[in-house]
């Protein structure tokens, strides 16, 4: 039996859609009431050990989708609890959605690397999917400010953004054939490195207006993120992401993505274009 955690999240939802119809799949979520009737579901909350003990019973393969929205100690405790519970009930193989190697420059890399090490030192078989940053994330910044500019502190840096749907496709390929991926760690970044100039161009094309890219500063971004109502831990996460891209650390396109997909990856520019068009 395969169990997918985080089933109502952005990535989990896409994975569950792709696994629909299989009789060996159970979805795991903190909110089972949000899963359509008839779909096998278990309540899985990494903050509730009982839900893990009961929810992982009988599971052979666990797709552990990271629950990274929190301070490092919170995320480490969640992932540690999930792995420990899986080991105790006899889960055979854990597939973990981690962060790309370039992500070591990001503030939130540490809980991912902790989880990878925990898996390597644990008793289950494992596969690590080192996911790059989503094209959907970059698309959030393809918007104009009141002055008609795309203002985001990327400098002249670029991001090898990846379509979340491709990451879902890879996760499905791996969890349905785990014996081919034992002890493997895969780098899953996109094939196109996208910069602020691309974001401005896509907005200009969608709106039929002239739009320029304005890098702005990290200090300005920090102030506006803090003022937006973001949680305290989210402010350095986002500012650090901009800084790592601007510093030139996130543009590398070497990837296992095409090989694991068995086809050409989706265009990250296409994902951003679709998001921009949907806003018009
Ligand atoms: N590569 C990127 O660009 C990028 C961007 C954002 C996030 N991420 C990371 O990748 C993960 C998956 O991405 P996503 O797009 O699916 O993020 P998402 O839409 O924020 O979904 C994350 C899901 O994790 C589950 N979760 C959160 N806290 C949990 C807990 N205490 N116990 C069990 N499950 C919990 C929730 O699923 P349920 O509500 O169904 O329980 C939540 O919907 C994120 O959690 C984050 O670590 C990566």
């Amino acid at each position: 039996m395969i169990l997918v955690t985080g089933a109502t999240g952005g990535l989990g939802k896409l994975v569950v859609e792709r696994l629909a119809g299989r009789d060996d799949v159970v979805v795991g979520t903190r909110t089972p009431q949000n899963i359509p009737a008839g779909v096998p579901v278990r309540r899985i909350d990494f903050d509730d050990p009982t839900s893990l003990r009961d929810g992982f019973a009988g599971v052979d393969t666990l797709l552990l989708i990271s629950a990274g929205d929190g301070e490092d100690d919170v995320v480490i405790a969640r992932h540690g609890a999930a792995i420990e519970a899986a080991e105790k009930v006899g889960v055979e193989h854990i597939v973990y959605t981690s962060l790309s190697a370039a992500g070591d420059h990001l503030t939130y890399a540490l809980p991912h690397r902790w989880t990878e090490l925990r898996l390597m030192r644990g008793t289950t078989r494992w596969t690590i999917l080192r996911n790059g940053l989503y094209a959907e994330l970059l698309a959030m910044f393809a918007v104009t400010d009141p002055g008609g500019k795309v203002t985001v502190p990327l400098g002249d840096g670029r991001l090898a953004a990846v379509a979340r749907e491709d990451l879902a496709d890879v996760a499905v390929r791996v969890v349905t054939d785990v014996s081919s991926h034992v002890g493997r760690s895969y780098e899953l970044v996109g094939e196109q490195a996208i910069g602020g100039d691309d974001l401005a161009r896509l907005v200009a094309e969608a709106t039929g207006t002239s739009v320029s890219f304005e890098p702005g500063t990290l200090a300005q971004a920090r102030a506006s993120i803090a003022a937006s109502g973001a949680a305290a831990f989210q402010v350095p996460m986002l500012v650090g992401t901009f800084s790592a891209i601007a510093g030139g650390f996130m543009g590398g396109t070497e990837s296992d993505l095409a090989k694991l997909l068995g086809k050409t990856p989706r265009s990250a520019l296409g994902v951003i274009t679709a998001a921009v068009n949907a806003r018009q």
Side-chain angles (χ1 to χ4, degrees), residues 19 159 187-188 214 223:
L19 292 171
L159 171 65
E187 288 292 328
L188 301 170
E214 170 62 53

Side-chain angles (χ1 to χ4, degrees), residues 222 224-236 238:
R222 184 180 296 276
S224 75
I225 297 162
S228 73
F233 69 83
Q234 290 172 326
V235 180
L238 203 43

